[in-house]
């Protein structure tokens, strides 16, 4: 069994008050060395894109806004110009590396993460959304709504808070760690 952590669009253009803590959590997850493979995606926008023309969205047009905000540690970066991270480059990588489990994290839960999860699910892959390692630029309510949609459409067992299904160890984001420790210490 080979696992893949797919880090979706963790870019400067998507960092705001709702997502600013996510890069540190994902960096901790990467440093846990729980995944056999790690791939980053990078959204590239263009002046003549549908996002500019129909949505008047100008994010990720400039090179500075496209930058991934954490150290990729020389892991592959796959560029994309659509919501989904699923393209020939990613599928070839999955097949070449005999990936059996794909874990998604990144930005935006209600958009690129959701679309990628749907596409991988429909292609028959075992795809898991790491709910505490995803965020929405429009806030936690939209994030939670997206998780509800994902639970209904790919299965509630594939929306997980722990970083690895096959491991008994848990990597908790710092924002939840104190609550977890306090809750479990009170049980003793």
């Amino acid at each position: 069994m080979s696992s893949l952590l797919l880090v979706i669009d963790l870019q400067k253009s998507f960092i705001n008050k709702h997502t600013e803590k996510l890069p540190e959590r994902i960096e901790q997850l990467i440093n846990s060395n729980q995944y056999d493979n790690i791939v980053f995606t990078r959204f590239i926008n263009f002046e003549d894109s549908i996002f500019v023309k129909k949505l008047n969205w100008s994010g990720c047009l400039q090179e500075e806004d496209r930058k991934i905000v954490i150290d990729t540690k020389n892991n592959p970066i796959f560029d994309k110009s659509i919501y989904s991270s699923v393209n020939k480059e990613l599928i070839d990588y999955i097949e070449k590396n005999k990936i059996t489990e794909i874990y998604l994290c990144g930005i935006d839960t209600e958009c690129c993460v959701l679309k990628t999860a749907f596409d991988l699910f429909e292609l028959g892959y075992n795809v898991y959304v790491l709910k505490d390692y995803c965020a929405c630029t429009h806030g936690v309510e939209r994030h939670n709504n997206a998780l509800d949609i994902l639970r209904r459409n790919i299965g509630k067992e594939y929306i997980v808070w722990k970083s690895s299904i096959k491991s008994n160890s848990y990597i908790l984001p710092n924002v939840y760690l104190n609550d977890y420790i306090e809750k479990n210490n009170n049980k003793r």
Side-chain angles (χ1 to χ4, degrees), residues 4-53:
L4 169 65
L5 178 66
L6 185 59
V7 183
I8 300 172
D9 303 348
L10 196 62
Q11 297 167 249
K12 185 176 180 182
S13 201
F14 299 116
I15 302 300
N16 66 18
K17 68 180 182 177
H18 301 295
T19 62
E20 65 189 359
K21 294 182 179 171
L22 190 63
E24 181 183 344
R25 292 195 312 239
I26 291 177
E27 201 159 35
Q28 290 173 353
L29 184 63
I30 290 168
N31 290 336
S32 74
N33 296 317
Q34 293 190 57
Y35 300 95
D36 302 310
N37 302 275
I38 299 170
V39 168
F40 288 81
T41 68
R42 177 174 46 209
F43 184 82
I44 306 292
N45 200 4
F46 300 99
E47 292 288 342
D48 62 346
S49 76
I50 194 138
F51 303 100
V52 172
K53 288 179 181 177

